[in-house]
Amino acid sequence: MWQRLLIYLLLLLLLGIVVGGGYLIVLLVQVSRMLPSSEQIVNLKPYEGTRILSQDGVVLATLTNERRELAKLSEFPKTLIDAVVAVEDSQFFQHRGISPRAVFRAVWVNLREGRYAQGGSTITMQLARNAFLTQKKTFHRKLQEALLALQMEQYLTKEQILETYLNEVYFGSGAYGAKTAARVYFNKSLSQLTLAECALLAGVIRRPSVYSPHQNPQLALSRRDIVLERMRALGFIDGEQYEQAKSEPLRVVPLRRQGIRYKAPYFVFHVLKQLAEDYGEEQIYRAGLTVETTLHWQMQQAAEQALREGVARYGRGAVTQGALVAIDPQTGYIRAMVGGVDFSKSQYNATTQGRRQPGSAFKPIVYCAAIDKGVLTPDSRIVDAPVSYPSYPRPYRPKNADGRYRGAVTVRQAIAYSINIPAVKTIAMVGPQTVIEYARKLGIQSPLEPNLSLALGSSAVRPIEMAVAYGVFATGGNRCEPIAIVRVRDSEGNIIQENAPNITYGVISQNTARTMDELLQTPVRMPGGTAYRVLRDFPEARGKTGTTDEGRDAWFVGYTPELVTAVWVAREVYDAAREQKVYLPMPRVFGGTVCAPIWRDFMSKAVPLQKEWLRKRAPEEVPQRTQQPESVDTVTLTLCDDTGMLASPYCPRTHRFTFRRGEEPRQPCTLHGAAPDIGVEPAGEAAEAPTERAEPPAVSPPSPAEPEVPPPAMTVPGSLSGGSDAVTLPPRSSDPAPVAAPAPPRLSEPPKVTAPPPPERVRICADSGLLASRYCPEVLVKTFPAGRAPGKRCNLHRPPPGEQ
C-alpha cells in the first residue's frame, strides 16, 4: 500500500515538473522575443525630455537626460567602485548576471515582510532595467530583466558592464552617471572625491529621491555610514579609514542646473516631487512627459518681485529670508510659490517644507472654534487684564505684546488690535483640543501641542497650510486641497493623469465662515488695526498679521474672493559651529510693517490677473468653483472704539463699520453715556446717521416713571473675564433690546426736562482701568457720565521701596 502511494506521489511530482517546465519554456520564449538585440544593447538611443508648463502656456522647465558626462572605467576612483559593488552587488565579479544568493535573500525578505520589499537585482540586472525596461515591479518584468542580464553578460565583459553602469545610473538631482553626480553634489572631478563622498554617492543609487543630500541631508549621511560599514565588513577599507570617513561632515554645494534655467524653481521642484511619487524619479527625465500645472507665470513673476524687493525695502536690514504662496481658494490651484528669496543660495522650500511659529496669525482659528461652537459672537466682550493659569503644567502668565491692558474689549477689537489675553482666555474656555480639531478641519496638518499658548501661535506650521485654512473663510466654509498639477500627457499627447479640484464642503458652517470673513476685515479697516495703515486702501482685503516672540518670525495671511496669500519673513543665518540654519530676532520688524506691504504689492498685481484669467477662459475650461454665499443686506453704523457699542456724542473715539442686517449691535455705549432725547439733534460726528442704505435702530428714551431696562445679558462659564468666571455676551441680534415706552406728554403741559449733570474728566491708568496714581506709567484722560467714573485707585503700580 505504501509503495503504491509513493508511486502516485512520484507521478504527480513528475507531472508537475513537466507542466511547470513546459509553462516556463513557453514563457521564456515569449519573453525572449521582446528582448532587445545585441545591436540595440550597444547603440542606446537618448530619451525625449519632459516639459513642465504653467497654466498660461509658459515652459517652466525642460527635463532631459543630457546631464551626463561619460567617463572611462580608469577614471573612476577605486573607492567609488568598491563602494558601489559593496552596497549594490557584492558578488558582481563572481556571478554571470544573476546572483542566486541575492535572489533567495530577496524571496525570504519579501515573504517575511508580506510585500515586495526587495528585488535581488544585480548590477547587470539594474543596467538592463535602466536601459531597456520599465520600473514596474512585476514578475513578468523581473523575468525579462534576468534574461536580459544573462544576454548582456554574453556580449559584454565585467569591466564594460561596470563602466556602462556607472555612466548610466541615476544619482538624483537630475544627475546621470557618477561623473555628473560628483559635479552636482560636490563640484569636484572624480579624482578629487574622498572616501566619504564616494560612499555617499554609492548610497544614493538605491533610492535617489530619498537619499539625495539636497533633499534629505540627514538620511543621506545615515545611508553613507551604512555603505562605509559594508565596505569595512567586506575588507575594502580598514577600521581607521572607516572612522575617519564617518567623522567627515557633509559638504554639499547648492544645486545648480548646468545649462538649464528653471522658471519658478521652488514650484518646479514641488511638482517634481509629486511626479517622482507617481512615475519614479528616473522616468521623469526620460519618458517625454508634458506636465500642465496650476501656476500662473505672470503672478509668479509678481510674487518673486514683491518678496525680493519687499525684504530689501521694508526689512530694515534685519530680514534675510522669506516665502510667499498664493492659492485660488475656490479650486485649490497654486497660482504662485516662492519658497525663498534666492534659490541659488537655498533650495529649501519654506512654503511646503518649513514649519515656523505663526504667532497671532493663528488666532482666527481659535476664534473660529469658539464662534462655530456658539460660545462667542463678534460683539462678545472679554476682559483684557492680567491673568495666570496655575493649573497649566507650569504657571502660565500670558502678556500682551505692548504690555498694555485695555479692560473689556469685543472680539472685533481683540482681532483688529491683535490682543493676546482675549485669545488665551478663549482657548481656555473652548479647550486646546477643540481648537486643534478645528485646525485640522481648516487644513492644518502640522503637529500641534494642546496647550494654551497655541492661541498665540506657539506650534509651528507651514505657510501653505495657513493659506488653505484662511481659504475656508473665503469660500463660505469649504476647504480646497492645494493642487500643483492639472494634467500629465505622455510623449504621444495622451492624457495619463488629470487632477480635479479636491473640495471638502462644509468643514465649518456658512454662518461661521461669514462671521470670520467679517472679523478678518477689522485688522484692515478698523483704525488702529495691525494692518490698517498699509491696507486701508485695499477694500477687498481680509487678513491677519502675526509676529512671534522676539520677532523671529513675521507673517501676514490674507485673501480676497479670488486669491488667498500667505507671506512669511525671518532673519535666517547659517551657524557654522552647529552646521545648521538659525533664526535670529528682528528688531522693529512686524507682520504689519513687512509682510502686509509685500502682500499688498503682490496682490495689487495678482488679483487683476486672476480676474482676467477667469473672464477669458471658456466656461468648460474653468474648474467648477465653490458656491459663494448669497449677498445680504447690510447696515453701516458708528461705533465707540472703546466698547464696540453704538457710539454716543460723548464717545471720544469712534469708527464706522458695516454689518449684515440683523447682526448689528443694538446697545448704546454704556461707558461714555448717552444724551437725553429732548428734541434737539446732538452735534458731532458721533451722531452721524448710518449710510443711505439703512436707518439706525431706534432707541427710545426712558420714561420718567419707568426707568430704562438694560438688555438682558447671558453668561458663559469659563475664565474669559480674568477676575471672574463668566463672560458677558450681548443679546442676540434677533432679539430687540427691550426699552420702556415714554409716557405721552399732555397737550396743556409740556414735559419737564431736567438737564443732566456735567460729565466728569478723570485720569485713568491704562493698565488697570482704575483712577491713576503718580506711579502709573501710562495715563489716559477719559470722560465719564456723572457718577460713572471709577471710584477706586490703581493697585497695580505701587511706590518703590522706601517711599511712602
Side-chain angles (χ1 to χ4, degrees), residues 306-307 309-319 418 523 528-535 544-548 551 553-557 567-570 586-601:
L307 183 65
E309 295 181 357
V311 165
R313 183 185 308 163
Y314 311 117
R316 301 177 182 270
V319 179
S418 196
T530 53
Y532 175 75
R533 290 185 179 180
V534 177
L535 297 174
K544 182 70 186 72
T545 57
T547 308
T548 61
D553 301 89
W555 294 70
F556 185 80
V557 187
V567 179
W568 164 83
V569 300
M586 299 178 292
R588 300 181 300 157
V589 170
F590 304 95
T593 61
V594 179
C595 298
I598 294 173
W599 187 93
R600 176 200 60 202
D601 294 347

Side-chain angles (χ1 to χ4, degrees), residues 381 638-640 643-649 651 665-675 697-700 708-711 737 739 788:
R381 300 183 68 192
T638 303
L639 306 181
C640 173
T643 65
M645 299 178 179
L646 294 175
S648 78
C651 295
R666 301 294 184 91
Q667 188 173 4
C669 176
T670 58
L671 180 61
H672 303 112
V699 180
S700 303
E708 181 180 5
V709 180
V739 294
R788 294 193 181 183

Side-chain angles (χ1 to χ4, degrees), residues 464-544:
I464 196 170
E465 295 174 340
M466 295 297 290
V468 171
Y470 276 59
V472 175
F473 307 140
T475 59
N478 305 323
R479 186 185 72 237
C480 297
E481 303 299 334
I483 298 177
I485 300 173
V486 177
R487 64 183 59 88
V488 179
R489 300 179 186 271
D490 62 17
S491 58
E492 302 297 326
N494 302 311
I495 297 177
I496 58 176
Q497 178 182 339
E498 192 160 18
N499 299 322
N502 183 4
I503 304 173
T504 304
Y505 293 93
V507 295
I508 58 174
S509 71
Q510 240 187 25
N511 288 336
T512 299
R514 289 174 177 174
T515 301
M516 292 306 304
D517 181 77
E518 173 194 320
L519 289 174
L520 288 173
Q521 297 177 46
T522 59
V524 175
R525 295 174 54 187
M526 186 178 289
T530 53
Y532 175 75
R533 290 185 179 180
V534 177
L535 297 174
R536 58 185 174 183
D537 296 328
F538 205 121
E540 296 179 310
R542 288 96 160 151
K544 182 70 186 72

